Amino acid sequence: MNFKKDFLFGVATAAAQIEGGGFADGRGASIWDAFADKPGKIKGGAKPSAACQSYTMFDDDLKQMKDLGINSYRMSISWGRVLPKGTGALNQKGVDYYKRCFDKLLEAGIAPNVTLYHWDLPQALEEKGGWVNRDSQYWFSEYADKMFREFGGTVPYWVTINEPIATYVGYGLGFFAPGHKDKAWGNQARHNVMTASGAGVEAFRASGAKGKIGVVIDIWKRFPRTDSPEDIALAKDEDEENWKFYTDRLLGQGYSKYILDKFYHEGTLPIMYDEDFRLTNLPIDFYGMNYYNTLTVGVRKQAETSGENGGNFYIQHQSHPENLGKILKFIKASYKLNIPVYVTENGFSGKNETPASDGMIHDDERIAYIDKALKSVDELLGEGIDVRGYYLWSLMDNFEWSAGYESKYGLIHTNFETMERTWKKSAYWYRDFILKVMNEG
Ligand code: IFM
């Protein structure tokens, strides 16, 4: 194997997906609390206010991390826990919670990799227009600056925003919080959230924080089902809309002519200023790639009625973890990226994961998936590609946004009644994999 001891092996989570704790100690509501209160928005009527209760069980979770042998933990700060109204006075109890988490992690030799925005905008800011409001960049910059001043001396890795596409899903498509369904709003919101990321980078440099800062974008590359011009055009359009919009701006120089023309003709072009691009052109220290799968798309023929996406196209669902390396190289080459890359998320969603008669959850499909993904990372290292870490999504089964608690990504099973955590077979597998690297690397 090509992994060395200093490679970061981690697991990833996000505040809204695991912390729970209701509104204890002054946490302000987020757009996901408000969205979950609307009937029918989240599978099974699930709410993020319970999640995995990591707010009170952090020590248990830390023990799981130590037992797994990871050397980095990717987590996020709940904006509303530290700034209940989104801006203004800090909530000291919220700040103390994160201070304790970071200190304990560092004490255990586990480097915190901290995301500032993993989708849980304070509801108080949504009431002022949320990400559609141009002021969102100032709100975010204030929050980021406050966090850098509190934790900039200790946290080694920072991420401004996780997967900016979620903002579009929330404002353009309505499947995520806050649930607006308006393409022009969606485009403005996704433009603004990227501007905010740039403002966060600027605040980071100004604060003198000593760690590194990057951005996380998920890549779901499309391939055309056939070489018909329709299928090729569809794959291109899907790529432009679903990930290139973000990578072109955050890893390149700005939006493509294709997407700007398309939005112009649709009448959904966002309002943009030169200053927005100045901010996103500020250098970052690393790129975090979230990789789950590649997709095959084709224009639906009349006879084809299946396909869970509806509309006029068809997506072939099959996991391709082995494509991780190919996609990472493709992104690096497309933008001539010469900054380090981290695989900030990769994982497998299981359904109906119940213990067998031996008491174990035999999630062999997940193991096969992770094994292939890690082999792909190993090959990258063998080719001398600068990939420095791999974070599995996720430490434990958690609140999977609109899919509620039914979609299970954890290495560890969470009993949502008792909050008991139980290792699945994949957790033992990952532990042994890391151990092997640490003994050999
Ligand atoms: O759970 C999410 C995470 O919040 C962002 N990336 C994808 C994961 C699995 O859907």
Side-chain angles (χ1 to χ4, degrees), residues 13-14 17 74 118-119 162-163 176 218 220 290 292 345 349 393-394 398-401 407 409:
T13 62
Q17 294 181 270
R74 180 164 178 246
H118 199 126
W119 310 0
N162 177 75
E163 299 184 7
F176 278 180
D218 51 325
W220 296 74
N290 287 0
Y292 287 86
E345 279 181 36
S349 164
W393 186 271
S394 180
N398 56 46
F399 176 72
E400 180 52 28
W401 310 111
S407 171
Y409 274 95

Side-chain angles (χ1 to χ4, degrees), residues 364-385:
D364 295 299
E365 270 190 286
R366 176 172 292 108
I367 293 174
Y369 175 99
I370 306 169
D371 187 29
K372 282 189 192 151
L374 282 168
K375 283 206 171 94
S376 193
V377 176
D378 188 49
E379 280 166 22
L380 291 172
L381 292 170
E383 290 174 40
I385 293 171

Side-chain angles (χ1 to χ4, degrees), residues 13 15 47 53 95 105 109 140 164 186 234 247 268 280 356:
T13 62
K47 300 203 189 270
Q53 297 293 8
V95 173
L105 283 165
F140 181 77
L234 177 64
T247 51
T268 66
T280 41

Side-chain angles (χ1 to χ4, degrees), residues 6 78 90 125 156 159 172 204 238 281 304 329 353 427 430 435:
D6 61 355
S78 151
L90 278 172
L125 297 180
V159 168
F204 182 78
E238 290 259 308
N281 284 343
E304 292 169 336
K329 283 197 277 188
E353 294 186 331
Y430 193 43
L435 204 60

Side-chain angles (χ1 to χ4, degrees), residues 239-253:
D239 278 345
E240 290 277 348
E241 286 272 2
N242 291 292
W243 57 268
K244 256 180 106 285
F245 184 73
Y246 313 102
T247 51
D248 281 351
R249 172 133 180 239
L250 295 173
L251 305 179
Q253 294 297 307

